[in-house]
Amino acid sequence: MNNELNRQKAPVYHQITKIDIPTVESGRLANQMPYHILNGGSQELVYLELKFNAGHTYAEVLVSTFTSAMLVGGTKHHNAQQIADTFEFYGAEVRADSNSDHAMVSLFCMNKYLDKLLPLFCELIEESVFPESELQIMIADRKHKYVVNHTKTSVLASDAMYKMVFGPHTYGRRAQLSDYDNVNSDTLRQFYAKHFCAANGKLLIAGYVTESVLRSIDATIGQLTAGQPVAPHTMPIEPVSGDKTQIIKMTDAVQSSLRMGLATIRMDHPDYHKLHMLTMVLGGYFGSRLMTNIRKEKGYTYGIYSILFPQIQSGLLRVMGDIKSGYSTQVADEVRKEMQKLKDQPISDAEMALVRNYMMGEMLQMFDGPFTSCDAVAKAIDMGVGIQYFEDEQNSILNTTPLELQEIANKYFDLDHLATAIAGNE
Amino acid sequence: MILFDRFELENGLQVIVHQDKTTPIVAVNLLYKVGSRNENPERTGFAHLFEHLMFDGSKNISDFDQQLQLAGGECNAFTNNDYTNYYLTLPKQNIETAFWLESDRMLELGITKEKLEIQKGVVIEEYNQRYLNKPYGDWMLIMRYLAYKKHPYMWPTIGKDTLEIKYASLDEVNSFFYNYYAPNNAILVVAGDVETKQIRQLAEKWFGPIPRRDTRIAPLPTEPEQKIPQFLLLKRHEPLNAIYKGFHMDGRLGSRYHAADLISDILSGGESSRLTQHLVKEQKIFTNVNAYITGEIDPGLFIVEGKLSDGVTFAQAEECISNELKSIWNSPISETELTKVKNNIEVKKTISEVNVLNKAMNLAYFEMLGDANLINTDVDNYQQITASDISQTAKLLFRRENSTTIHYKSAQKSKQ
């Protein structure tokens, strides 16, 4: 037997060609609210996420933000402190938040405490009262955060990029400091009454979901008022016109933030999987083109990434990095060059194999238990593509060719409409 | 209960195996017992710079990340004051790739001068991104400098400033490597659907041939007891007034560590906690306030920090904090409050057992502390804390002479 170890030669690795996508059990609660169950895990933990069609798109600026955040501010039967005391006594986590498309409220707790917590959780959704005193405390806090955030290059560059990409669409809207003074509890109450109801929402249940968990949920969340569904305010998204580059001068900054963006296809588009793969090649992992060029070869950044961000009315291709002062214009040019290269030449088979294996590994890791995958599964449900998305994604990863990726680059890397925002001492 | 097997190779590498048959993923965690506390005081930030270099190619493998990605894996690493931790996850079929990669970079690095220069640039940008290019980003750098007089916790892991990173030479990189990155200074943990026998074979095959090294690890100075409160007023272009306070506390194995940790939860664990309820909601002194511990192995710091509400003076804010801290030792905490923070410890433990990587990291960490089985038993140290432990610990902790305080006074920028 030869014991000499050859360290130059990689051990044989096995290609992953099949990932077990978990099944999602879907149905309706007593009040007809749709639910989706992502079952699994060996710890007795359960995560509930209620989502309503009540994101920023559905109202004036900040209304959705404060309505969600104020759900823990007081109900008909419990004040804010009692609410916090009850959930936190059992080590449960309640989060209320909103994004462009949805408002959501979630509960993460141990199974053994679920029955103790569900009635109060339902109160938040049906019987919140939006006390003025709590609202004022929250406004003061959010204003402080706003002021702090708006001294950051990352926030200023990102805001500018969104405004350029989405123009007058609500996706591009950003709050001003003065908007916080116009938030009032009556508006929030009206928004709440109309949007936070069973017919306008859906529920994701993830974790150790037994029959008794579902029964408890049906006896509580399933009894919430049905109400009416609300349609989103839709608006066409025009390609960026006029100036596509904006530089925000910040003389004190020791680094510059670069944010680039391009409105693109939605998740239900048949090309989405391939565009996702292409975005991965560009800047989606450590071995990507952008990381290799800007970090590994030049040392101009700690990290530069590209991601494909799905939203109901439009996808967004986003590039972001915090760059050594004085170099961000050059780096923006390098990003365009890298995108152009992907349009001009097909990627090599070796790089194709690399990104394919990486993506399969990433997906395998994502489906390691209900809590690592529930964000992605929820996103697929929200975007209307469902769990089938992941089967299709798998097929696409395994079968897409370099020429097809090049075709996709030519179709979607529309450099004429790529918006670039830089904040820093440039 | 997390079950595991433990063995040691002849070269001193400690190996722990935890079997979890429920997952297709295997986690491999390699902890080196070196952190920024082991640095030369004139080369602070070195341990962390070194962590970056570990991804820049080793003797036989030019591109670590690429090889791992080909096997469908992901990796990362972090450095703190106490240790440096490398971790990766990959499909269980490809576990041998992890052994190949990790053992080669323990054997010998492939650093060149050019690679070193580029990584210095990356680390300096990381320094800028995390600590300088955001308001209050440097508070911990200043806090450490004020609070420690002898112990190397006086500098942050990222380094005192970027200049010392710039001066690091290739010779220093090599001597650091041979002194600290030795099998006899490391702990390897594998968690996933694996058998101990299989892991033993792989460990012996790949790590076994690496020679034991003659490591010289200098004993660390003990920080003398702080006798005088430390204070610094900073006038900055930061947008709001802010207070940061640090109190010296026990190290990770100290008898009062767990009580101090629970005190931080009582003060600031969630919306129902005392500081939020009293100082944000009722008295409106702060818009945001937090308390937490740095959690290091040697005696660390208990931090209280907050952003002052408009119109509140530093004196008022200080007095309110002081009253809250005093009330922890003046009046015993209620059974409900104590149960709440203990329930939270139970939930955190349950959550920490959900995924294999987390379990692998925790096993390595506790083994470094002295016994991997602390992963199962450390929670008892929390459950045994009584109301009187809490008040006694608070009384020692929150003495004025034990405190270090930084005030950031917001100075308005002149309009340009």
Side-chain angles (χ1 to χ4, degrees), chain A residues 25 37-48 107-114 204-217 369-371 374, chain B residues 22 350 354:
Chain A
E25 185 197 326
I37 298 174
L38 188 56
N39 209 338
S42 40
Q43 259 59 36
E44 296 199 10
L45 292 164
V46 62
Y47 174 77
L48 310 182
L107 170 67
F108 184 39
C109 68
M110 294 182 77
N111 283 50
K112 63 180 174 182
Y113 301 133
L114 184 65
L204 178 76
I205 314 165
Y208 199 83
V209 189
T210 59
E211 272 178 39
S212 97
V213 165
L214 189 57
R215 265 199 307 277
S216 299
I217 288 171
F371 303 118
C374 69
Chain B
T22 66
T350 309
V354 168

Side-chain angles (χ1 to χ4, degrees), chain A residues 346-356 401-403, chain B residues 70:
Chain A
I347 70 170
S348 68
D349 289 340
E351 188 175 359
M352 195 73 204
L354 178 65
V355 73
R356 180 179 294 142
T401 64
L403 282 173
Chain B
L70 276 171

Side-chain angles (χ1 to χ4, degrees), chain B residues 2-33:
Chain B
I2 308 275
L3 301 175
F4 57 89
D5 287 326
R6 210 169 359 192
F7 58 89
E8 191 176 316
L9 299 188
E10 269 180 41
N11 60 14
L13 179 69
Q14 292 166 279
V15 186
I16 293 173
V17 185
H18 163 65
Q19 190 180 58
D20 177 347
K21 283 180 173 290
T22 66
T23 168
I25 298 298
V26 58
V28 176
N29 190 90
L30 187 53
L31 181 154
Y32 289 97
K33 295 182 239 177

